Amino acid sequence: MTLGPDHAYLTTAEVADYLRLKERKVYDLVRQGGIPCVRVTGKLLFPRQAIDLWLMSHLEGDRASSRPVPLVLAGSQDPLLEWAVRESGAGLALLCHGSGDGVRRLLSGEAMVAGLHLLDERHGDYNRPEALGLAGMRDLVTVRWAMRRQGLLLAPDNPLGIAALEDLADRRVRVAHRQPDAGAHRLLTWLLGRAGIAPGTLRFADHPSLSEDDLALAICQGEADAGLGVEAAARRQGLAFVALHEEAFDLALRRRSYFEAPLQRLLAFAREPRFAERAAALGGYDITALGRVIYNA
């Protein structure tokens, strides 16, 4: 049987043929919870991407990645992800100190998952493994979480009348900023470069904000007048917002971790109606492609 790229879901007969197994063996694997599937109106369907990942997770040469890793989600903070981890009961501890920190913890085995939104300045796209130093991970998988709207977070009612990135060069404006290896810092540097604005001309706050919420709070509490962040963080703190850029936020993990209960609970929860309702209420999210495998080493 030849399956075309439009076969996103396989029937029991198709997956048996694809795996060169008898249908009875497929049913046995389903009963044992050993193969990824969904049940729709009593019929079993097998997501083809998940089947491919499941196959590759059983490669004989992939055994080195099977050692247990801490149930930690590191990397960048995302308001929707943070909420979903709690509400889903995924059991993941949050250790969100920026995308760069997440990459390091994933490589060292200190985290099961890393949330990333790192722009490749040369190509203008996001989370390229070779640009992140992850190309050597033979079992790396990245899964799309959401497209997010980034922009300027501003004090309520925008008293300084900031309307564009160029307005940050006004010396009256105190600019909140993230740590150097955070995705938002990289994006701000790229946006300033495209606009012909030297970062040295901006009046930055004395200390970096270590998360999206910290940056929003700095503006809310009057410690800064503006900063780059996601729309959801602005809404949570009642701040004004000027949209500038759409970005990809992805989850990076080892292939075997994809089938662990924490990830499966999180992704299953993200398919529920109230998850979509929460994303709409937070604002600035496009979750159309959530769960799509973006990279599979």
Side-chain angles (χ1 to χ4, degrees):
M1 178 186 297
T2 301
L3 300 173
D6 56 329
H7 279 68
Y9 290 88
L10 307 180
T11 66
T12 304
E14 287 173 333
V15 81
D17 188 70
Y18 189 50
L19 299 175
R20 293 183 171 85
L21 298 173
K22 294 184 182 299
E23 285 189 47
R24 185 175 62 186
K25 179 59 177 177
V26 174
Y27 285 119
D28 287 342
L29 288 168
V30 170
R31 280 194 296 271
Q32 296 163 12
I35 189 171
C37 66
V38 294
R39 194 179 295 272
V40 180
T41 62
K43 181 179 181 180
L44 289 172
L45 292 175
F46 300 82
R48 186 171 178 181
Q49 281 191 333
I51 293 297
D52 287 339
L53 284 173
W54 178 78
L55 273 174
M56 296 188 74
S57 73
H58 288 76
L59 288 174
E60 289 298 324
D62 222 14
R63 299 301 184 196
S65 65
S66 63
R67 70 181 187 276
V69 293
L71 302 184
V72 169
L73 191 157
S76 182
Q77 181 196 21
D78 176 71
L80 181 60
L81 178 59
E82 188 178 74
W83 174 81
V85 167
R86 291 196 306 269
E87 292 295 312
S88 66
L92 290 167
L94 297 170
L95 189 62
C96 299
H97 294 158
S99 293
D101 183 72
V103 168
R104 288 191 292 273
R105 292 184 186 275
L106 183 65
L107 281 169
S108 65
E110 298 175 53
M112 175 177 277
V113 195
L116 307 177
H117 63 117
L118 285 169
L119 175 71
D120 184 328
E121 298 175 16
R122 290 180 56 199
H123 297 88
D125 57 2
Y126 275 82
N127 304 325
R128 295 168 64 94
E130 63 273 22
L132 301 178
L134 293 175
M137 282 182 63
R138 64 184 181 185
D139 56 348
L140 175 69
V141 171
T142 58
V143 177
R144 177 60 38 86
W145 179 250
M147 296 298 296
R148 309 192 308 178
R149 192 173 299 128
Q150 284 267 12
L152 297 178
L153 279 62
L154 308 168
D157 301 321
N158 191 11
L160 294 180
I162 298 168
L165 190 72
E166 289 77 7
D167 295 333
L168 299 186
D170 186 328
R171 294 300 293 178
R172 296 177 301 160
V173 179
R174 295 164 299 166
V175 181
H177 60 103
R178 298 291 307 282
Q179 64 270 38
D181 62 353
H185 178 86
R186 184 179 293 191
L187 176 59
L188 178 60
T189 302
W190 184 71
L191 290 172
L192 290 172
R194 286 207 313 172
I197 303 169
T201 63
L202 272 57
R203 183 185 168 200
F204 285 111
D206 291 337
H207 305 288
S209 300
L210 299 181
S211 71
E212 294 277 356
D213 282 341
D214 286 349
L215 187 141
L217 279 170
I219 297 166
C220 187
Q221 294 172 356
E223 299 169 8
D225 303 299
L228 185 74
V230 293
E231 183 175 350
R235 287 200 189 190
R236 287 215 292 195
Q237 299 298 331
L239 301 176
F241 182 78
V242 175
L244 295 178
H245 186 74
E246 297 285 334
E247 68 169 14
F249 190 98
D250 297 327
L251 303 178
L253 57 150
R254 295 184 181 276
R255 191 177 296 118
R256 289 179 180 274
S257 297
Y258 181 88
F259 298 98
E260 297 292 334
L263 259 293
Q264 289 301 305
R265 280 198 292 266
L266 178 63
L267 293 174
F269 176 76
R271 293 190 288 269
E272 295 183 8
R274 74 185 185 107
F275 176 85
E277 292 166 4
R278 181 71 173 193
L282 284 171
Y285 287 102
D286 177 353
I287 57 171
T288 306
L290 192 151
R292 180 181 299 166
V293 176
I294 304 300
Y295 179 85
N296 181 15

